[in-house]
Amino acid sequence: MSVSPQNTFVGKAAVLDGMPEHPAIKAVVAWNPDALTDARFDRGELTLTVAPESIVEACSIVQTAGYNFFEDVTAVDWFPSEPRFQLSYHILSHAYKERIRLRVMLDGNNPTIASITPVWAGANYYEREVFDLFGVRFEGHPNLRRIMMPDDWTGHPLRKDYPVEGYR
Amino acid sequence: MAQDVGTPILQAPPAEGANDQHMVLNMGPQHPSTHGVLRLVLEIDGEIIVRLYPEIGYLHTGIEKTCEAKFYQQVVPLTDRVDYLGPMANNLCYCLAVEKLLQLEIPARAQWIRVLLTELTRLNSHLIWLGTHAMDIGALTVFLYTFREREDILRIFEAVSGQRMMTSYFRVGGLSMEPPLDLFDRIQGFINTFPEKIDEYSNLLTGNPIFINRLKGVGYLSAEDAIALAVTGPPMRASGVDFDLRRDMPYSSYEKFQFKVPTSKDGDCWARYTVRLEEMRESIKIIQQALDGMPGGPIKADAPKIVLPDREKMKTQMEALIHHFKIVTEGFAVPAGEVYQGIESGHGQMGYYVVSDGTAKPYRVHMRYPSFATLQALETMCKGRMLADVVAVIGSIDIVLGEIDR
């Protein structure tokens, strides 16, 4: 909040040290500091990396801490390195007028994570899009079907090993 | 992976309390009121909507994948085509994101011209919404009126960028060129008469009993639902959530402008109509302030390795020629990192999430577009209402299929 966007903190210890008053960090530390595996404050944006199994809990923790508006979730494919998939949840606070990013790293082999639709129902289409284009499965999602591509499509087009021109 | 083939509404067990009389009706994708290629699968009991299922993807072109194969500056023309009714807003959001990655300082004049033109874009987008919304409900005349003014805006766009719709006028680091000399006078001429035109639309619709009956109390969305379903922009503000990125998280020097954010507590189609009409009046105020206080100075950042040099310099200076050649053939490298930049477009909160791995091509570009989320709320708004109300609700949420499918 009071931290200047010119500052850069890399790593969990530096962020916890540099901005201990940040409401999201405070809430996450009060809940379970071990669930926070990494953190970064760069270009005025705060990224909190959490363990994949605690994403739903982390979402409801930051929601209670005032980050009330789910804005976006998407994935980045870091093929061929492992863990391969990065999920980025962008969450906005109407009260603090600020955005945080929750980040989760997933294994390339059968990537699966719990759906956050119980916390924010609006994640429904976004998770479907990630499933469709990256092949990440969301457990507990009410309707995990392809959304952009035809139902009988083979492959997940936004993966890096999928050619730009598609399979011919 | 695609184990669920088929549309679930057709295969799912009937809704609670349903009997054999329920019918499944397919609306679109070639339906005139679906604003493009939206397909809705409706389960109806007589004329009452029991369930509604939007089926999208007919316009999916894989723009996000294409971006990964282009240089950073080559992505700008692709962004025009996403929300094709608000080209400047797309350009702005992408450029701001890349500039944040590069940590570029943009000159004041470029920022103000960006604000000026983005507000004109908002007017353009709202005019199309108003015309088509009224037309869906049966008031054909309004469409002709709003397209008359839209034509003026498109002529301004053409004067400034050479293109009517796919402008690509904002570039990473500033603007593509200095606007023509008489541009500000033309915009001034346009906004001098535009408030009367809004009154004209308002005269046609606001007191019209058919229009009122079709909109009042229809398509209700509560503030809690709006937040839960990630609805943004005018539909969210019409439900009573007072949040606008231009005011609350300003970008591109919006903090220097005075304007109100219209809201309503009613949450119905009528509230969305009044909120957007008010927004058009506020946009005019912003445009007026931008014209009055337009700063001088350069329109491009001082970054010769990122911004293309002027034509004149390129032909007279060796370094400028080299930079030009390098940018065009090799692009420019962007430091590794990830940024998310949100702006308030005509439809709501637009966001670009750009991930760089330090090369000249974006590693990943994700576009968060407002209509995608607003469409999720369609079922909430239409459930239990008449079939004809669906048309009114689709009109009032102002979706563009290009930005939903990307």
Side-chain angles (χ1 to χ4, degrees):
Chain A
M1 305 292 288
S2 55
V3 179
S4 153
Q6 268 77 46
N7 288 5
T8 303
F9 301 120
V10 181
K12 182 179 168 183
V15 171
L16 291 186
D17 209 39
M19 40 203 312
E21 288 306 309
H22 192 283
I25 296 178
K26 244 165 102 176
V28 170
V29 168
W31 156 60
N32 181 5
D34 295 335
L36 187 69
T37 54
D38 193 9
R40 190 184 175 90
F41 184 76
D42 187 12
R43 297 176 175 93
E45 297 185 6
L46 178 68
T47 309
L48 300 176
T49 308
V50 296
E53 56 277 6
S54 51
I55 183 66
V56 180
E57 236 180 312
C59 282
S60 55
I61 289 292
V62 295
Q63 189 189 34
T64 331
Y67 290 78
N68 59 331
F69 193 86
F70 163 84
E71 207 169 11
D72 187 32
V73 53
T74 190
V76 183
D77 180 7
W78 290 106
F79 180 78
S81 61
E82 284 289 347
R84 179 172 170 183
F85 293 104
Q86 168 190 340
L87 292 189
S88 300
Y89 298 78
H90 292 100
I91 299 171
L92 184 72
S93 165
H94 285 169
Y96 300 123
K97 305 186 193 321
E98 198 191 42
R99 193 179 278 119
I100 57 166
R101 178 184 302 122
L102 292 181
R103 183 168 170 270
V104 168
M105 298 304 290
L106 287 181
D107 212 49
N109 181 32
N110 191 21
T112 310
I113 191 165
S115 163
I116 63 158
T117 45
V119 186
W120 282 290
N124 186 330
Y125 275 24
Y126 291 89
E127 290 185 341
R128 271 179 74 186
E129 189 187 337
V130 173
F131 164 69
D132 185 359
L133 304 178
F134 286 93
V136 175
R137 302 192 65 86
F138 292 87
E139 266 165 8
H141 189 283
N143 180 28
L144 194 66
R145 293 175 52 250
R146 284 187 182 271
I147 187 164
M148 298 292 178
M149 309 304 288
D151 283 332
D152 55 355
W153 195 262
T154 318
H156 301 285
L158 276 181
R159 287 189 174 190
K160 286 282 175 184
D161 51 359
Y162 189 100
V164 180
E165 320 81 57
Y167 294 114
R168 300 270 164 119
Chain B
M1 283 277 206
Q3 77 283 41
D4 299 313
V5 175
T7 306
I9 202 167
L10 299 174
Q11 298 162 349
E16 195 82 24
N19 50 36
D20 296 345
Q21 288 154 6
H22 281 195
M23 183 168 106
V24 173
L25 183 73
N26 198 31
M27 182 170 162
Q30 285 103 357
H31 190 281
S33 77
T34 54
H35 295 227
V37 285
L38 171 66
R39 177 180 162 216
L40 298 175
V41 184
L42 308 163
E43 187 181 329
I44 48 178
D45 176 12
E47 274 208 67
I48 307 291
I49 307 290
V50 181
R51 278 189 296 192
L52 179 153
Y53 186 83
E55 186 75 66
I56 60 175
Y58 290 90
L59 223 53
H60 180 65
T61 48
I63 284 186
E64 291 178 8
K65 182 85 175 171
T66 317
C67 292
E68 292 171 9
K70 304 273 180 203
F71 292 136
Y72 278 93
Q73 74 268 29
Q74 291 175 319
V75 173
V76 176
L78 290 174
T79 62
D80 285 326
R81 282 140 180 92
V82 182
D83 171 7
Y84 40 76
L85 303 182
M88 301 275 195
N90 300 312
N91 296 166
L92 177 65
C93 196
Y94 172 72
C95 291
L96 285 176
V98 178
E99 285 156 8
K100 203 174 186 183
L101 268 174
L102 289 161
Q103 300 195 296
L104 262 190
E105 199 64 47
I106 306 303
R109 184 178 171 79
Q111 294 196 13
W112 281 57
I113 293 178
R114 283 177 173 188
V115 168
L116 175 70
L117 291 170
T118 332
E119 290 305 317
L120 272 179
T121 305
R122 187 183 318 278
L123 289 182
N124 176 26
S125 165
H126 280 10
L127 282 174
I128 293 172
W129 153 76
L130 184 61
T132 50
H133 183 29
M135 189 165 67
D136 287 348
I137 290 173
L140 273 169
T141 323
V142 187
F143 183 75
L144 304 172
Y145 281 62
T146 59
F147 266 58
R148 186 187 58 191
E149 272 70 70
R150 177 178 183 248
E151 191 60 31
D152 293 340
I153 297 181
L154 291 186
R155 291 223 174 98
I156 292 171
F157 285 177
E158 191 176 15
V160 78
S161 71
Q163 286 287 326
R164 288 159 59 83
M165 284 180 77
M166 304 302 156
T167 54
S168 298
Y169 181 60
F170 304 159
R171 302 289 166 83
V172 175
L175 309 173
S176 71
M177 59 188 124
E178 183 70 39
L181 288 175
D182 66 337
L183 179 84
F184 298 139
D185 295 335
R186 286 177 70 167
I187 297 178
Q188 185 66 57
F190 172 73
I191 64 163
N192 284 346
T193 55
F194 193 64
E196 298 159 26
K197 305 285 171 55
I198 301 180
D199 295 339
E200 211 172 318
Y201 314 141
S202 180
N203 284 343
L204 284 167
L205 295 172
T206 308
N208 183 332
I210 304 174
F211 196 66
I212 296 172
N213 280 339
R214 289 296 303 277
L215 296 192
K216 272 215 167 128
V218 174
Y220 177 72
L221 183 72
S222 68
E224 295 74 42
D225 282 347
I227 288 180
L229 293 170
V231 175
T232 53
M236 175 180 81
R237 291 192 284 275
S239 295
V241 184
D242 188 8
F243 191 79
D244 188 317
L245 285 180
R246 288 177 295 167
R247 182 196 63 196
D248 296 322
M249 295 170 72
Y251 49 87
S252 193
S253 73
Y254 261 108
E255 68 277 4
K256 302 206 173 88
F257 294 84
Q258 303 289 322
F259 58 97
K260 287 203 287 279
V261 176
T263 56
S264 167
K265 294 234 176 305
D266 300 342
D268 57 358
C269 292
W270 183 259
R272 294 192 269 277
Y273 163 73
T274 50
V275 163
R276 283 207 189 85
L277 224 52
E278 270 315 300
E279 257 190 35
M280 293 214 276
R281 296 186 199 275
E282 293 301 322
S283 285
I284 296 173
K285 286 188 200 162
I286 300 176
I287 294 172
Q288 187 63 58
Q289 290 170 42
L291 288 172
D292 291 344
M294 182 61 68
I299 51 146
K300 291 173 181 176
D302 180 25
K305 297 203 164 151
I306 292 158
V307 181
L308 282 179
D310 290 334
R311 220 59 204 159
E312 184 60 34
K313 273 191 190 160
M314 194 193 103
K315 291 187 176 163
T316 50
Q317 295 178 6
M318 190 63 193
E319 301 80 24
L321 180 65
I322 293 170
H323 287 314
H324 186 280
F325 183 77
K326 291 274 251 187
I327 294 170
V328 172
T329 54
E330 295 173 3
F332 49 84
V334 171
E338 51 183 343
V339 293
Y340 183 93
Q341 176 66 45
I343 69 162
E344 192 78 31
S345 84
H347 304 129
Q349 288 170 20
M350 177 192 288
Y352 271 68
Y353 174 56
V354 182
V355 181
S356 167
D357 59 348
T359 61
K361 291 175 180 176
Y363 191 76
R364 168 104 173 94
V365 179
H366 173 72
M367 304 155 181
R368 189 257 190 226
Y369 271 90
S371 297
F372 190 59
T374 314
L375 189 63
Q376 293 186 93
L378 189 62
E379 185 172 18
T380 316
M381 294 190 223
C382 293
K383 236 179 196 172
R385 305 287 317 182
M386 302 282 269
L387 183 55
D389 289 340
V390 176
V391 176
V393 174
I394 294 176
S396 81
I397 57 175
D398 189 19
I399 49 172
V400 166
L401 268 293
E403 68 173 57
I404 291 176
D405 293 344
R406 300 187 295 282

